[in-house]
Amino acid sequence: MDQVEVAAKENENKAIWKPKNPWGAPQKETVPCSLTEVMSEQLAKHLQLEDELSAFPSTAVNNEPLITGDNIDTSSDLLLAQMLQMEFDREFDSQLRLEEKKYNGDSKVSISFENYRMAHPYDDSDSSDDEVDWQDTRHDPYGPDKPKTTPKKGFTGKGKNITTKHDEEICGRRNTARMENFASEFLVGDGIGMDLKLSNQVFNSLKQHSYSEQRRSAKIHEKKEHSTAEQAVDSKTRLLMYKMVNSGILEAVNGCISTGKESVVFHAKGGSIDDKIVPEECALKVFKTTLNEFKTRDKYIKDDYRFKDRFSKLNPRKIIRMWAEKEMHNLSRMQSAGIPCPEVIILKKHILVMSFIGENQVPAPKLKEIKMNSEDMKGAYYQVLNMMKQLYNECNLVHADLSEYNMLWHDGKVWFIDVSQSVEPTHPHGLEFLFRDCRNVSTFFQKAGVAEAMNAFDLFNAVSGLDVQASNEAEFVAAIEALEKINEDHVQKRGKKASFDQSDDGGPPIINDE
Ligand code: ATP
Ligand code: MN
C-alpha cells in the first residue's frame, strides 16, 4: 500500500507541477462540472473495464497484469478507492486500539472506543457468517463456524458508553462514524477519519439524501452487478484477489486463461505463504457465483440423499464455495496417488489457487488441441488408462467430466484437471458417470488412431474391476443402473449416517432444489 501511496503522490506531484504562482495558490484550470457527471463517467469506465475483461480470448493470456503489488489497475477507480479505504480503515483501527489502550491504562473501568472503529463494508465481509474460508471449517467441513469475538475488557454490558442526544460532542462524532453505514456509492468524504462532529440535524438530512441516492442508483447498479457476475469477477472477487496479492501469497494476477460455464481461470505469479514457496506460475480458478451452473450440475447432485439433511439450508454462495472445496479435496487425493494434476496451493472462499500447468503464461494444450505423433498418442492412451485406474482404485473417485477437453498435455505427460464435479463410485450415478468418461476416452483415442484403445465397455470393466457383459450400449447401461440400484439399497440399509461418514469428502454437495 505504501508503494501505491508513493505512486499516487508522484502522480499528484507531476499533475500539479506548474510555473510557480507568486501567491502560492495553485492555479485552477478545471471547468466546474457536476458530481453526477463525474460519477457516471467513473461508472462508465468501470463498466468498460468489465467489458474488456469479458472480451479476453479464451486461450490467450493478456500480458498486462490486472492486479500487482506495485502496479494496481488504476483504471478501476472504484476498486482503487475500496483498496485505499480498506488500508486506511485498517490503519485507523490500529491507531484507535493504541489510543484506547493508552486512554484506559491499567484502570479497572475502561472506556471502549469500539463505536469509532471503521467497519469497512468489504473488509467486514471476512467475518460474516457466510464468508468462511475452508481453513475455518476443517473439522466440520461444511458447518458454519463463526469466529468468536474476544470479550471486551473492562466494564461491559448494558449502559456502557451512555450517550444522550444532548451530549453534542460524543453524539456528533458518532454521527460522523455512522455515515459509513450509508450506501457505499454515497461519498462521505474524509469526515469519518477526522474528528468531525456532525449535528443531528445535518446527519439526518444526509441520511435522507443517502437513501434517495441509493434508490436512484439501484437500477444502474443492478445492471452493473449482473454484468460483472457473469464474469465471476465482481468487485468482491477482485478485492479478494487483491488481498492475496497484498498479503504476498501472489505477486500478481495476470490475464484470464479461460472463461468457462462454471469458472473463470486466471494466470498468476506466485509469491509465498508463511515462508512456504508458492510455484512461480499459478492458476486461479474463480468459481462463478451465478446460479446458472446449478442447472448443468444438477445431475451430479440430484438424488444424493447422503448430504441432503446437512446441506439443504445452505445459501447459494456457500454452495459455490463447496464446489471449490470439492475440487481442492479431489485434487489433493489425486496428488497423493501421484496422478499428474495441479497442486493445490490455497483456497480462499470461491477462489482456488493451484499450480499452473504450462509455461511462460501459456497454458498446456488440451489433448483436443494438440497434434501428436502416433507414438506419443499411444503413450498418452496408456497413461490415461492407468490414471483412470488409479483414480478409481486409489482415490476412490470417478472424474465425471473426463474428455479430451479436461486432459492437458505437458512435459510429455497427460494431466487431469477440472475435478470439482468428481464423485465417489458409490454415488447413485457414479457408475454411469464412469461409463460416460470411458466412452469419451475410448472414442477419442480410437479416432486418433490408437489401435490398442479398448472400446468403452472393456475400458469400463478394466477401470472398475467389474465384469459387466452386454451386447449393446442400452443393455450395458441398464446393467450399470441395476448395479447402482443394488448399491444404493445396500447403502440405505446401513443408514444415512454411516454412509456419510464413509463417503468423507469425495461426494458432491447436495443442493436441495425444492
Ligand atoms: P469448462 O466449462 O470450459 O470446462 P471449467 O469451468 O470446468 O471450464 P476448468 O476446466 O477447470 O474450468 O478450466 C478451464 C480451462 O482453464 C482449462 O481448460 C485449462 O485450459 C485452463 N486451466 C485450468 N486449470 C489450469 C491449470 N492449473 N493450469 C493451466 N491451465 C488451467
Ligand atoms: Mn473444463
Side-chain angles (χ1 to χ4, degrees):
M1 212 60 210
D2 286 349
Q3 285 159 314
V4 177
E5 274 165 10
V6 169
K9 267 262 149 55
E10 270 171 20
N11 281 340
E12 206 175 290
N13 289 340
K14 271 184 217 152
I16 58 174
W17 169 243
K18 296 202 176 102
K20 271 223 165 110
N21 181 331
W23 304 105
Q27 284 175 337
K28 278 198 178 148
E29 285 168 9
T30 44
V31 190
C33 67
S34 81
L35 182 65
T36 21
E37 260 172 54
V38 175
M39 291 297 288
S40 57
E41 201 178 298
Q42 286 174 351
L43 179 61
K45 259 191 191 166
H46 189 71
L47 288 173
Q48 188 191 346
L49 183 86
E50 302 294 347
D51 279 348
E52 277 165 13
L53 210 59
S54 73
F56 283 153
S58 61
T59 46
V61 172
N62 185 343
N63 283 326
E64 286 288 304
L66 290 175
I67 301 170
T68 69
D70 47 15
N71 169 28
I72 290 169
D73 171 19
T74 48
S75 56
S76 173
D77 291 350
L78 176 67
L79 181 71
L80 184 62
Q82 284 167 353
M83 290 166 180
L84 286 166
Q85 185 70 49
M86 232 169 70
E87 195 59 27
F88 174 77
D89 290 352
R90 203 172 293 134
E91 282 169 18
F92 180 85
D93 284 350
S94 58
Q95 184 62 29
L96 195 71
R97 264 191 289 278
L98 281 178
E99 296 206 0
E100 184 179 347
K101 218 171 165 185
K102 203 168 119 196
Y103 186 90
N104 290 320
D106 292 332
S107 165
K108 278 196 178 140
V109 180
S110 65
I111 305 247
S112 163
F113 287 13
E114 187 65 26
N115 286 342
Y116 298 102
R117 206 178 66 85
M118 297 289 187
H120 192 269
Y122 286 88
D123 207 25
D124 213 35
S125 65
D126 256 7
S127 54
S128 83
D129 62 344
D130 59 350
E131 304 263 347
V132 183
D133 284 348
W134 75 274
Q135 284 94 338
D136 301 325
T137 59
R138 194 186 286 241
H139 300 295
D140 181 10
Y142 308 118
D145 185 11
K146 285 191 196 181
K148 289 183 185 64
T149 47
T150 39
K152 292 188 196 84
K153 63 171 186 160
F155 180 55
T156 54
K158 270 193 181 163
K160 63 157 186 160
N161 299 330
I162 298 164
T163 315
T164 76
K165 66 175 180 179
H166 307 293
D167 187 338
E168 253 177 57
E169 192 153 306
I170 295 180
C171 207
R173 284 206 192 104
R174 181 179 278 185
N175 281 344
T176 307
R178 277 160 67 193
M179 287 200 305
E180 69 190 308
N181 295 330
F182 292 174
S184 52
E185 318 84 73
F186 190 78
L187 300 180
V188 293
D190 291 333
I192 291 175
M194 299 188 296
D195 190 22
L196 181 72
K197 295 158 221 92
L198 280 184
S199 76
N200 286 349
Q201 200 191 352
V202 173
F203 175 76
N204 282 333
S205 63
L206 273 174
K207 192 164 98 180
Q208 215 45 50
H209 185 59
S210 146
Y211 285 160
S212 53
E213 282 290 297
Q214 211 174 340
R215 275 196 300 275
R216 209 176 55 80
S217 70
K219 237 193 145 98
I220 211 162
H221 189 69
E222 235 167 54
K223 201 168 160 228
K224 193 177 93 184
E225 279 300 298
H226 185 71
S227 66
T228 54
E230 282 295 307
Q231 293 304 310
V233 279
D234 49 20
S235 53
K236 277 201 173 190
T237 306
R238 294 195 112 205
L239 213 54
L240 211 56
M241 288 174 164
Y242 165 72
K243 277 193 199 172
M244 286 193 214
V245 172
N246 204 28
S247 66
I249 297 171
L250 300 176
E251 230 170 76
V253 178
N254 300 314
C256 165
I257 303 166
S258 142
T259 23
K261 299 172 294 293
E262 285 144 16
S263 71
V264 183
V265 180
F266 292 90
H267 178 276
K269 208 162 168 235
S272 63
I273 313 169
D274 298 337
D275 301 330
K276 191 182 123 190
I277 301 292
V278 176
E280 241 173 74
E281 292 191 88
C282 292
L284 246 75
K285 186 165 175 176
V286 179
F287 286 75
K288 284 200 175 184
T289 46
T290 46
L291 294 175
N292 307 353
E293 77 201 71
F294 291 145
K295 301 261 181 302
T296 55
R297 288 187 161 184
D298 196 49
K299 57 183 177 294
Y300 298 105
I301 55 194
K302 208 169 61 187
D303 306 330
D304 193 338
Y305 56 85
R306 294 176 298 175
F307 302 95
K308 216 162 199 163
D309 299 339
R310 198 152 175 168
F311 298 114
S312 57
K313 289 185 193 72
L314 290 180
N315 68 31
R317 234 173 336 145
K318 274 192 191 166
I319 292 165
I320 298 296
R321 236 177 272 160
M322 267 164 38
W323 284 108
E325 254 182 60
K326 196 63 55 190
E327 175 130 33
M328 176 189 66
H329 287 303
N330 291 342
L331 282 175
S332 304
R333 281 195 196 185
M334 290 161 71
Q335 196 80 41
S336 324
I339 297 175
C341 67
E343 180 198 350
V344 173
I345 310 302
I346 198 168
L347 176 74
K348 289 275 181 196
K349 301 189 164 87
H350 59 292
I351 304 183
L352 179 65
V353 183
M354 54 188 152
S355 61
F356 180 73
I357 313 301
E359 230 174 345
N360 298 324
Q361 303 200 20
V362 181
K366 303 174 178 70
L367 284 195
K368 168 77 190 170
E369 299 163 341
I370 195 168
K371 288 258 171 293
M372 262 194 258
N373 63 39
S374 57
E375 199 56 34
D376 278 350
M377 197 50 106
K378 188 173 139 186
Y381 165 72
Y382 279 112
Q383 252 186 72
V384 172
L385 174 63
N386 279 328
M387 285 161 83
M388 287 178 82
K389 284 182 182 172
Q390 271 183 296
L391 191 64
Y392 189 94
N393 297 300
E394 293 171 39
C395 309
N396 197 30
L397 286 175
V398 170
H399 188 292
D401 194 17
L402 194 63
S403 73
E404 56 274 30
Y405 293 91
N406 280 331
M407 295 188 270
L408 305 183
W409 181 254
H410 176 62
D411 246 0
K413 275 193 292 190
V414 179
W415 299 65
F416 281 179
I417 59 161
D418 198 1
V419 291
S420 63
Q421 73 293 314
S422 300
V423 296
E424 297 201 340
T426 51
H427 180 282
H429 300 290
L431 295 180
E432 289 163 74
F433 296 152
L434 177 63
F435 179 60
R436 196 182 50 193
D437 286 354
C438 290
R439 211 175 37 199
N440 291 341
V441 167
S442 163
T443 308
F444 172 74
F445 283 107
Q446 283 179 344
K447 275 197 180 155
V450 179
E452 292 84 350
M454 290 183 221
N455 66 36
F457 309 133
D458 293 343
L459 186 57
F460 177 92
N461 285 334
V463 169
S464 66
L466 296 166
D467 186 24
V468 178
Q469 296 300 333
S471 50
N472 59 51
E473 187 166 323
E475 264 180 42
F476 198 87
V477 172
I480 287 175
E481 282 171 359
L483 277 177
E484 285 173 341
K485 186 83 184 58
I486 293 168
N487 181 53
E488 197 173 333
D489 292 344
H490 182 66
V491 169
Q492 240 157 5
K493 261 189 215 131
R494 283 189 311 181
K496 288 180 190 181
K497 174 117 195 2
S499 82
F500 176 78
D501 288 347
Q502 187 233 7
S503 75
D504 178 29
D505 53 24
I510 183 73
I511 298 164
N512 195 355
D513 34 26
E514 285 121 52

